[in-house]
Amino acid sequence: MAHPRMYDDSNPAIKKLREICLAMPEVFEKEAWGECTFRVAGGSMFAMTDNNHHSSGHLAVWVKAPAMVQEILVNSDPKRFFVPPYMGKQGWVGVRIDYKVKWDQTAAILKDGYLLSVPSRARNKSKAGIGDPVAKQTSRPARRRKAQGPFR
């Protein structure tokens, strides 16, 4: 049996979250468990909405996080950050997007989760392509120069 849809596409916080996640290279959205999930092509899921998921009472996003980040964030502001059910054991962090949202900080947390989900063969390319307009301008392959001298 499919889960009922838990989110509202017209919610400004969902729209902003979607804008941030889908701006990253090779990210796609897939509905799962009635929530929005964001995944990297060839990689894995790095974020999932929590729209009163299991009667949580809030709108949040669960994000894959590097070691120790969950503990640091939850201890710094337990009203904004929390240990999400199921995924919390793997270090994911819950970030409320309905309470004192700091979108620049949330975007940085999402970027870290994204980088943990990118396949290793594409990781350096992805790091350069996120939020770095200079990298986008210089992403064309360098032109090869003709060899000079007798060893052409």
Side-chain angles (χ1 to χ4, degrees):
M1 180 175 150
H3 288 270
R5 179 175 273 190
M6 302 295 292
Y7 60 95
D8 177 2
D9 280 324
S10 66
N11 184 309
I14 296 289
K15 286 182 177 182
K16 182 69 175 175
L17 176 68
R18 187 174 275 139
E19 176 187 312
I20 292 167
C21 291
L22 295 178
M24 293 183 234
E26 299 190 43
V27 169
F28 65 97
E29 181 178 349
K30 178 180 178 182
E31 186 174 309
W33 311 287
E35 300 283 1
C36 306
T37 67
F38 299 94
R39 302 158 187 255
V40 181
S44 60
M45 181 173 72
F46 69 93
M48 174 183 151
T49 57
D50 169 357
N51 191 1
N52 198 31
H53 201 78
H54 295 289
S55 303
S56 65
H58 57 233
L59 176 58
V61 60
W62 301 352
V63 185
K64 187 182 273 193
M68 301 299 298
V69 168
Q70 178 197 80
E71 181 181 356
I72 292 166
L73 291 175
V74 171
N75 286 335
S76 73
D77 190 347
K79 283 192 167 198
R80 287 187 52 228
F81 304 107
F82 60 95
V83 177
Y86 314 112
M87 307 304 276
K89 290 184 276 187
Q90 285 86 28
W92 287 52
V93 64
V95 182
R96 287 188 57 181
I97 56 174
D98 64 351
Y99 174 79
K100 295 186 179 180
V101 183
K102 296 178 181 175
W103 285 110
D104 56 337
Q105 183 182 45
T106 303
I109 294 167
L110 287 162
K111 177 183 175 183
D112 286 345
Y114 164 82
L115 290 172
L116 289 172
S117 297
V118 173
S120 58
R121 63 178 160 61
R123 191 161 289 131
N124 288 337
K125 180 181 172 186
S126 293
K127 281 182 184 178
I130 301 174
D132 186 358
V134 175
K136 289 178 182 170
Q137 291 172 1
T138 60
S139 61
R140 289 179 289 151
R143 291 179 64 189
R144 295 187 65 148
R145 295 177 64 185
K146 286 187 177 182
Q148 302 291 319
F151 303 106
R152 289 187 198 177

